[in-house]
Amino acid sequence: MFAHEFMRNALIAGSFVGLACGLVGYFVVLRAQVFAGDALSHVAFTGGLAAAVLGLNILAGVFAATILGGIVMGLLGDKARADDVTIGSLFAWTLGLGVLFLTIFTTQDSAGNGTAGVRVLFGSIFGLSAADVRTSVVLAVLACAILLAIARPLLFASLDNAVAAAQGVPVRVLGLGFLALLGLVAAQATQAVGALLLLGLLAAPAGAAHRLTANPYRGLLLSALFSVGSIWIGLTLSYAFPTLPPSSMIIAAAVGIYLLALATTIPRARAVWPRPANANVAA
Amino acid sequence: MTAMATSLRPDTGSRKGAAVTFDGAAVRLRGRTIWSDVSLTVAEAAFVAVLGPNGAGKSTLIKAILGLLPLAAGTASVLGRQPGVAKGRIGYLPQRHGFDSGTRIRGVDLVQLGLDGTRWGIPLPGSPSRKRDAARVAEVIELVGATTYARRPIGELSGGEQQRLLIAQALVRRPRLLLLDEPLDSLDLPNQAAVAALVRRICEEEQVAVLLVAHDINPIIGYLDRVIYLAGGGAIEGAPEEVITSETLSRLYGAPIEVLHASDSRLVVVGQPEAPFVHGDRHA
Ligand SMILES: Nc1ncnc2c1ncn2[C@@H]1O[C@H](COP(=O)(O)OP(=O)(O)OP(=O)(O)O)[C@@H](O)[C@H]1O
Ligand SMILES: [Mg+2]
């Protein structure tokens, strides 16, 4: 499968995008901002379609919209931890706007390619050009570098906002920066798996990592590995069975890993709980 | 009624060596004066309890010492500097903490963050500084008696176990000043006394001044050096037996208060005005 250029492109871009998703996703789960990630996926949809309507590069539209969306969420939300009401409102409004753009785009462009909506919603990882791959890799490496640079104070602020602030960690700036970074990574994930499914790539590998280890640095590593692994498994499956779309296979792999992680940790919890009760009955 | 603040030992003569000094200090939040004309001195390595009814401004006092809230009047000195300057030498435990039960991060990592959480990047495994840090973390965890559960996810621990780990986190940098906002909050009585004894021991062994906010003085009175009592928009600072008296508290509240001595030498404060009375009083 490495003989095909589209496949090589997909694997290279996908690996880096997966790495960024895994690292950022670990903090998304820790900070309980999965809902923010979901909202950003709708922002990505709207941004992509707005760009399509205006005749601009769809990917550029997605990036601009999600990064801006992250910053706006951070600014509106109290203490740079965007709250549910803020996100919910932003999310409904942007989705409405996206539907409007979709309508304009399909009526305006009825003869030509009506695929922009589909591409934004489901990703286009098998359609990447060499230039797209370069852009993806550069942006993903940038996102990973920023995340690793702020990882420790961000971990401190996520666990213990008041103490971190008292020790001099710039918690507001970090919270805002993290949402902007989440926007950047969400845009990348949109390219790989589409706006509809990007939440799976952000949340499932990270969720599995949180289940399997309580050591944060090991967790970050595991989350990144699971995320990259999901991309590889998904792309391989989709290559082997061409009727299966890559985006759904990637998400299926990610969710599969999460379920495996659940399955291996739940029996342990069960073994701990009923035993004392049984012992009491026996005694 | 005028707010009042009287130090019963007006001049301790050791201002230079004091961990915290407030002189005629006041804090105003959203146009409302929380307390004013507060003068107090916390000596180095002293164990001081901060007492007072809900809403009296105990947490506000802690935040003012941290430099998180500005003073509206007066002056303050914390470890010889302006509040907010000596951040690295202050350990802080905020009020009503408690982690979500889903927080899957170990206690050791939390304590470790107290040591290196302000540094950028991620720690590199195997580096000498990492080893030194790990040794210090193990040492404070041992000091607070949390070794057996420090490697479990913090969200799965009991309130008291979390509290001990948070005290360890506050201690890990060898601070000169420890600010503990209601660390006894979720603890049962034996644990309250145990944590108070622990704080006393830390105070002596690590030579750190401690301000501990509490609601009930009885479980901790035997361990204390001094008491700061906040009420009625003012504060009184002094030795416990000087402050917790009918006359002093009546003056502070501006209402008759009676302090009873139970046969087991426990103190019972009766006639404290209900919170609304105190609030109305402060609006004036
Ligand atoms: N950010 C704020 N803005 C306005 N008022 C505030 C703010 N924070 C606290 N207050 C008010 O300041 C007063 C003192 O609050 P503080 O938290 O210091 O009380 P406390 O003595 O710690 O009470 P508790 O025993 O309940 O913890 C309260 O009346 C509270 O309503
Ligand atoms: Mg308080």
Side-chain angles (χ1 to χ4, degrees), chain A residues 45 61 75 135 153 160 172 181 187 190 195 213 233 239 249 271 282:
Chain A
F45 169 71
L75 288 178
T135 317
D160 223 332
R172 267 206 70 99
L181 196 66
T190 305
T213 177
I233 296 171
Y239 179 81
M249 288 305 99

Side-chain angles (χ1 to χ4, degrees), chain A residues 34-201:
Chain A
V34 173
F35 189 40
D38 193 29
L40 282 178
S41 68
H42 295 77
V43 174
F45 169 71
T46 303
L49 283 165
V53 167
L54 297 172
L56 302 171
N57 183 323
I58 292 178
L59 196 57
V62 171
F63 274 103
T66 49
I67 295 173
L68 195 72
I71 293 172
V72 169
M73 255 193 291
L75 288 178
L76 291 182
D78 193 30
K79 291 181 180 165
R81 271 199 162 197
D83 60 78
D84 288 356
V85 177
T86 310
I87 300 169
S89 322
L90 185 71
F91 146 114
W93 178 76
T94 23
L95 197 58
L97 209 61
V99 172
L100 174 69
F101 287 139
L102 184 64
T103 316
I104 297 173
F105 185 69
T106 38
T107 46
Q108 183 189 71
D109 194 71
S110 52
N113 70 77
T115 57
V118 175
R119 281 182 59 195
V120 173
L121 280 176
F122 299 106
S124 52
I125 195 161
F126 280 158
L128 300 179
S129 69
D132 290 339
V133 174
R134 260 199 307 279
T135 317
S136 286
V137 171
V138 168
L139 288 174
V141 167
L142 184 74
C144 292
I146 294 174
L147 191 92
L148 289 178
I150 65 170
R152 193 160 28 181
L154 184 63
L155 184 67
F156 197 7
S158 307
L159 277 174
D160 223 332
N161 202 60
V163 177
Q167 294 287 344
V169 173
V171 290
R172 267 206 70 99
V173 175
L174 272 183
L176 198 62
F178 178 70
L179 281 172
L181 196 66
L182 176 58
L184 171 68
V185 173
Q188 294 233 291
T190 305
Q191 202 178 10
V193 295
L196 270 185
L197 298 178
L198 76 84
L199 194 61
L201 200 52

Side-chain angles (χ1 to χ4, degrees), chain B residues 2-8 24-25 36-40 229 231 233-237 251-252:
Chain B
T2 55
M4 53 169 292
T6 315
S7 180
L8 292 176
S36 58
D37 207 10
V38 167
S39 301
L40 52 87
Y229 206 109
I236 284 187
E237 189 256 329
R251 256 196 301 144
L252 184 62

Side-chain angles (χ1 to χ4, degrees), chain B residues 62-124:
Chain B
I62 299 293
K63 286 179 191 153
I65 293 173
L66 282 165
L68 297 174
L69 293 175
L71 292 185
T75 56
S77 153
V78 178
L79 299 173
R81 315 287 289 273
Q82 290 277 312
V85 177
K87 285 189 183 98
R89 294 189 294 145
I90 300 177
Y92 172 46
L93 175 66
Q95 185 174 9
R96 265 182 282 283
H97 210 280
F99 292 92
D100 189 86
S101 65
T103 309
R104 293 198 35 91
I105 300 289
R106 299 171 307 174
V108 268
D109 299 306
L110 189 79
V111 177
Q112 173 87 37
L113 283 169
L115 196 58
D116 66 3
T118 56
R119 281 186 232 153
W120 300 104
I122 55 169
L124 298 172

Side-chain angles (χ1 to χ4, degrees), chain B residues 120-140:
Chain B
W120 300 104
I122 55 169
L124 298 172
S127 72
S129 73
R130 179 85 172 138
K131 287 214 187 78
R132 222 177 318 117
D133 287 0
R136 173 65 187 152
V137 168
E139 187 185 14
V140 276

